[in-house]
Amino acid sequence: MQTILTTVESTPTTFTPAFTFVAQTNDVDDVFACAAMPSGKEIEAVRDIAIAKTKYPARGLYYLGETQIAALLAGQSGLREHSYPVAVSYK
């Protein structure tokens, strides 16, 4: 007869994440935090790269689109820009 577990762990105690977690520092740097994790860089370094490579403004709010995100990821610690098929909808 099977027994019902009384405690459930959401994350196994033996789990080791592949990347070090990088937290956002404000409401608009989610892309920077996500790019910093696999690249192994600090979020500030990724922000500096974005300012230099994608024309991200040093001050103020700005939206990064797919092209800018791909440019940001290109060349960081083995990450390369890939070409993905674009979904097209017909009316």
Side-chain angles (χ1 to χ4, degrees), residues 24-88:
Q24 290 180 237
T25 58
N26 60 42
D27 291 341
V28 294
D29 62 358
D30 53 339
V31 171
F32 303 147
C34 289
M37 285 186 254
S39 69
K41 295 184 165 103
E42 299 286 330
I43 195 167
E44 292 81 14
V46 174
R47 184 180 295 113
D48 292 341
I49 293 168
I51 291 168
K53 287 184 80 172
T54 67
K55 298 179 183 176
Y56 187 88
R59 293 185 177 87
L61 302 176
Y62 187 73
Y63 170 80
L64 287 176
E66 291 176 18
T67 304
Q68 292 87 9
I69 293 170
L72 178 62
L73 292 173
Q76 288 196 46
S77 183
L79 299 175
R80 295 287 181 255
E81 188 173 358
H82 295 290
S83 177
Y84 296 101
V86 177
V88 179

